[in-house]
Amino acid sequence: MTNATDLLHRLTSLLGPAAVITEGADLEPYAVDWRRLFPGKPACVVRPSNAQQVARIVQICREAGVAIVPQGGNTGLAGGAVPDATGTQVVLSLNRMAAIRSVDPVGLTIEAEAGCILKIAQDAAAAAGRLLPISLAAEGSATIGGVVAANAGGVNVLRYGMTRSLVLGLEVVLPDGTIAHGLRKLRKDNAGYDWKQLFIGSEGTLGIVTAAVLRLVPRPKHSVTALLSVADPAAALRLLELAQDELGDQISAFELISATSMQLVARHAGLKAPIAEGEWFVLIEAASSLAGLREAAETMLGAAFEQEIALDGVIAESGAQASQLWALREHVTESEAREGKSVKHDVSVPLTEVPRFLIEAGEALAAGAPGTRVNAFGHLGDGNIHYNVLVDANHDAAHVNRIVHDVVAAFGGSISAEHGIGQYRVGELARYRAAPEMELARTIKRALDPDNRLNPGKVLSA
Amino acid sequence: MTNATDLLHRLTSLLGPAAVITEGADLEPYAVDWRRLFPGKPACVVRPSNAQQVARIVQICREAGVAIVPQGGNTGLAGGAVPDATGTQVVLSLNRMAAIRSVDPVGLTIEAEAGCILKIAQDAAAAAGRLLPISLAAEGSATIGGVVAANAGGVNVLRYGMTRSLVLGLEVVLPDGTIAHGLRKLRKDNAGYDWKQLFIGSEGTLGIVTAAVLRLVPRPKHSVTALLSVADPAAALRLLELAQDELGDQISAFELISATSMQLVARHAGLKAPIAEGEWFVLIEAASSLAGLREAAETMLGAAFEQEIALDGVIAESGAQASQLWALREHVTESEAREGKSVKHDVSVPLTEVPRFLIEAGEALAAGAPGTRVNAFGHLGDGNIHYNVLVDANHDAAHVNRIVHDVVAAFGGSISAEHGIGQYRVGELARYRAAPEMELARTIKRALDPDNRLNPGKVLSA
């Protein structure tokens, strides 16, 4: 192993001094995640400007026996993009590689470098009259490379799928320093192994995404937003079935919100649902290029009343009203934070199991962690519930995690529906995934990164 | 290595004599593909009835040092599911594992064993009021496991994606005989590596798919079919843009048909387009749960005439008329076969490059293989062209392949858009894919199947 000075010298020779950060204050934004939950200490931060430089950095670090932590916008929720505290890891930031290389409105593709901010890519698609259907709270900072590496979810998943389903091509620097050029713009390609799948959602542990071709979709012309109250999650499922019948695959959001969530929003954000009280609420959005959307939504609402599924409901009459309905949903997290301390869970179960899951998780918490309150809300249409538990100082977060995740596991669910594993859930993943699956993951990791130099300790323990 | 008799004895002990086929005539359907292009000779055929038996077979063959060729409906077009001619390979047929385990019309999932016929799964989805949107010519024989292993395409790709985008969960027997249980019914799951992606489209070379959970979609209530004639493929692209604007993501097919294809259909199937002659034709289908589809199609057609994109065009007035329009497209392959010998190519290029590809491939053939005629048709909306070349006895198929695939490669295209590599295109894949991609594929293969016992010689050479 060469020493740290020699490593810095080689990296600076390659990139120039401006692209190698070594000073404490300048390191800070790269050293810790934005929620400041996972503070780390990098040896340095390197900021390459092209894939060839990324490849050379990987080779240099490999020769030095030093680990690399790839980083995009550093907006992750699981600490997957920050270094550990040893001061030995090199953070490789993609933020200088931010070009949008092409937008094809008819071929429905966008090619961008890894460091391109998601919002900028969205805007480029919009300027061409098309939609890049990845939308999430951090879109003003998150990068294309990070979104791919995390297989990001967001609010469009119900209709357009996770990021994985939108990736047509990737360029990836492998742990051995070679570049796999796969920036194809093909919607169909069954020629050999689809190796790019390995790098989507593996959080930078198998390779460094340096550029991507993503699929665009036509931009819907019409949209409709409705808020309904229902007696329980089982009624919400019946409503989903009605919505599927009437709106088909034009449903873009089907959000479940508990009365507790609504009460928090009323208390802390001063917002109130414009419909009669209920135990549960459903926010539905659909969008289409076709007229006839609103009529279909009205048919759905009528049927929901007639079949006594909905207790009350409203369809937004304007974009402003639609925004008011969405504001209720969007203020849940912030209102929860104002209420006090909470233990969060980003879980999914088969979506028709959501009602039973909510009952059983509630019972398990009442028995195992008395005094907690549940703030449940989320993407019912995806089976993804943000199952947050309001706690006081007496409650142990790990104990609450265990109770909730045990119930998730009993339903064949996932302990991380969209946020990934990072460093945050490594132990829990190992606990809940069966041995053959974990061994298969380790086999893949060992094959691509035998020396465990790329984002070690993330997703899998060493 | 134990001898062949001992192997047969062990397999028969495990499965019973009825599930081990050793006789010549009974072996035949498993030994050769349905087009009879890739005749092989198996040591025997085993027909397990559950995943545990599959795992035991893999262990037994591993101990005996014998290779396994997994087989579903044996409907592949690239010889990926048949054994070689050595008489040493064991064909593992999944056709006794054919159960549909569950259909969830609200959760939009179907779980089926690998040997379940695609058509039967489609029917089960339809009986629940939902759609399994994988549709292909061989659907009456192809199996779920084969469709997953091949990442099958078909006529719904434009709207719903390849099979990969519909796979939610897999159960796979690995080359070491362990079973990876991943039959989750989750629409969102970012907990660890999504290892199932490795087994989709890798044609049984990395593991044996024994069951799958596939995503269903709402069944559209309305559909519209139109046939238009245009001057050239560039005009067809302009038409696609119009269709995207008016019909959005409700377009389910956008098929390009050359005048040559139409002439073949007229000559050999006696079918004629009900619109004025043109050099090229486009068949468009859209389907939706919403009303307003036909109106949008009429707006599109009006704009196509106004902007002088379409020369002539018709929208089907009934299901029968729609079927007549589709019959033109569906008879192209058969009419081509009646015309004479042809060399087929299942290629894709970035879809906006299709016009230039057609010109350059045509010029390359005129120069390099004079006397050939091009019969081009296919899924323009996916950039996937069936570029078939009518030849006579003087033309060398490999030479024609080379000319066409060189042009495909120059456009960053794929030499196998949907049919896979199997044993048919192994050499060509190695020729056209860059070294780092091939090495990455070999790394994956070696990691999972270090002794090369699972479908050896398919996709990658040994």
Side-chain angles (χ1 to χ4, degrees), chain B residues 7 10 13-15 23 70 102 129 165 191 204 242 270 274 290 298 364 370-371 384 416 441 459:
Chain B
L7 174 67
R10 293 189 68 189
S13 298
L14 172 69
L15 303 169
E23 295 300 319
S102 67
S165 67
L242 272 185
L290 301 180
E298 283 165 0
N384 178 199
S416 186
V459 184

Side-chain angles (χ1 to χ4, degrees), chain A residues 104 151 159 184 188-191 193 195 205 221 245 249-250 291 348 352 384 414 416 418 433 437, chain B residues 104 151 159 184 188-191 193 195 205 221 245 249-250 291 348 352 384 414 416 418 433 437:
Chain A
D104 180 346
N151 187 29
R159 175 151 178 184
R184 284 179 278 271
K188 295 171 88 168
D189 180 12
N190 263 346
Y193 296 170
W195 54 261
T205 61
K221 293 174 184 168
D245 287 340
D249 59 4
Q250 308 288 274
S348 64
T352 40
N384 177 198
S414 172
S416 187
E418 54 182 14
R433 278 283 147 101
E437 290 189 71
Chain B
D104 180 346
N151 186 29
R159 176 153 179 182
R184 284 180 279 270
K188 294 172 87 168
D189 181 12
N190 262 346
Y193 297 170
W195 53 260
T205 60
K221 292 175 185 168
D245 287 340
D249 61 2
Q250 309 287 278
S348 64
T352 41
N384 178 199
S414 172
S416 186
E418 55 181 13
R433 278 285 147 100
E437 291 189 70

